[in-house]
Amino acid sequence: MAPGVERSFTAASTIEEALAARRQGASVLAGGTWMMRDPRRGVDLPEAVVALHRIPALSKVEVEPDHVVIGAAVTHAALGRALRGSAGFEGLVAAAEGAANPGIRRVATVGGNLCALDFAAADLAPALLVCEATVELQTFEGPRLLGISDFLKDRHALLTEAIVTRIHLRRDLIASAHIRLPLRQAGDYPVAIVSLAVDRNKRCRIAVGSVEPVARRWTALEQAMAAGPASALDPQRVAELALEHNDFQGRDGKEADGWYRRQVLPPLVKRGVAALLSTEGVAWL
Ligand SMILES: Cc1cc2nc3c(=O)[nH]c(=O)nc-3n(C[C@H](O)[C@H](O)[C@H](O)COP(=O)(O)OP(=O)(O)OC[C@H]3O[C@@H](n4cnc5c(N)ncnc54)[C@H](O)[C@@H]3O)c2cc1C
């Protein structure tokens, strides 16, 4: 910490209080597991922060028959507990329970995972992309709902003033899976992540994280699979399609080169389809 810098901390009890602090220039502090490493990335810690953990509405997961609402301050561990055993959310549970380590998962939040700018390896991003999640934000102009793809693309601009408050999910998936490739030399973060899901119309959704700077759906592969028969949900066949339709530009990073991240995608997809097939939901396919 630079000598003489005064730091301020506010724990908001309501979203309005949190927004008021944002208006005065405070940054959101969630679990702090990303922010605490800012100095290592050459970024100064904010002088004022507002914590969200005392806002009850942001710390709960509501599981309803047709939808789920996840508060932004819900931790990875709590998310895993809340959705474990819910058909269709196997991938999201695997992402929440497989990221980082138990200590981090107890404090790191869903909002923090989605709002850590320039963090390409966020596990929840691809897992929520295949759920086609909607992100709820509070801005100075009022509440706003945004599809997760648009949120991820525009978050640099959005987060200059907004607070992510909740994530909304439909319960329209019959099965999902989340496959990550960590490398020993990569330290903490997976070098490539593939999330897959099958919806009630037997359409397969696939998203990739950590390969490009921002996680995204693998539309070319989804379309190639949709053009084939239902039996296309065969691990070897999908891996071949993944090789043919690999349109990713791998990002170079200290833990892996771009070409490597791109190249590991077909085998990860193969593992993902095998995981999907082992869930109860797709047993009938
Ligand atoms: C050892 C270690 C291993 C890790 N491994 C993984 C891993 O395997 N997979 C993975 O995905 N991540 C990993 N992480 C990265 C990351 O810390 C977590 O993903 C985490 O989710 C960040 O959440 P947080 O609550 O701690 O966020 P914070 O550090 O509190 O915040 C992160 C950023 O988001 C902003 N922010 C937070 N919440 C909101 C909100 N509601 N609205 C607006 N802005 C907000 C903050 O202002 C800050 O800029 C790891 C971190 C560590 C330290």
Side-chain angles (χ1 to χ4, degrees):
M1 185 191 295
V5 175
E6 292 237 348
R7 309 256 178 217
S8 94
F9 171 86
T10 308
S13 308
T14 62
I15 292 171
E16 292 68 33
E17 264 179 52
L19 265 184
R22 291 286 277 143
R23 268 184 222 276
Q24 312 243 314
S27 298
V28 173
L29 173 68
T33 63
W34 178 261
M35 194 186 270
M36 72 178 181
R37 290 187 165 194
D38 274 352
R40 285 199 199 185
R41 290 184 288 266
V43 177
D44 287 338
L45 286 170
E47 288 177 19
V49 293
V50 56
L52 307 179
H53 64 280
R54 285 204 189 142
I55 306 176
L58 304 195
S59 302
K60 63 180 180 187
V61 182
E62 296 162 57
V63 183
E64 301 295 340
D66 61 343
H67 71 278
V68 168
V69 183
I70 305 165
V74 168
T75 65
H76 285 60
L79 179 63
R81 277 195 305 274
L83 293 183
R84 205 179 299 144
S86 298
F89 291 124
E90 299 85 357
L92 186 53
V93 170
E97 295 186 339
N101 58 53
I104 297 286
R105 292 196 293 267
R106 275 196 288 276
V107 286
T109 65
V110 175
N113 198 251
L114 295 182
C115 297
L117 298 175
D118 303 321
F119 178 38
D123 271 278
L124 297 182
L128 288 169
L129 276 165
V130 296
C131 293
E132 297 186 337
T134 300
V135 179
E136 184 183 335
L137 304 147
Q138 279 291 336
T139 72
F140 297 161
E141 286 75 43
R144 208 171 149 188
L145 292 171
L146 220 63
I148 178 121
S149 292
D150 290 336
F151 169 77
L152 290 173
K153 271 187 237 137
D154 298 343
R155 63 188 166 171
H156 268 269
L158 289 165
L159 293 176
T160 53
E161 61 166 56
I163 296 176
V164 170
T165 49
R166 297 177 190 86
I167 312 298
H168 299 259
L169 308 176
R170 294 186 309 273
R171 298 192 68 171
D172 62 349
L173 296 176
I174 57 171
S176 60
H178 184 80
I179 306 294
R180 54 207 303 280
L181 180 70
L183 290 185
R184 187 184 290 254
Q185 63 269 35
D188 306 316
Y189 308 129
V191 299
I193 310 171
V194 176
S195 294
L196 308 91
V198 179
D199 68 16
R200 288 198 192 115
N201 301 318
K202 301 184 191 176
R203 296 274 301 207
C204 196
R205 304 176 195 165
I206 305 183
V208 170
S210 200
V211 173
E212 293 182 344
V214 181
R216 69 164 166 96
R217 290 275 288 271
W218 194 340
T219 323
L221 178 55
E222 290 177 359
Q223 287 169 352
M225 289 176 70
S231 61
L233 203 58
D234 164 75
Q236 184 55 37
R237 171 80 189 119
V238 181
E240 284 162 17
L241 288 176
L243 190 62
E244 202 178 317
H245 296 277
N246 193 341
D247 57 358
F248 284 85
Q249 305 285 325
R251 67 185 172 99
D252 288 331
K254 68 174 176 352
E255 71 281 13
D257 287 343
W259 67 264
Y260 180 78
R261 296 181 200 271
R262 186 177 181 278
Q263 201 132 323
V264 296
L265 288 176
L268 291 185
V269 166
K270 186 176 177 179
R271 278 173 51 196
V273 174
L276 270 182
L277 290 172
S278 71
T279 58
E280 260 179 54
V282 290
W284 49 269
L285 274 180

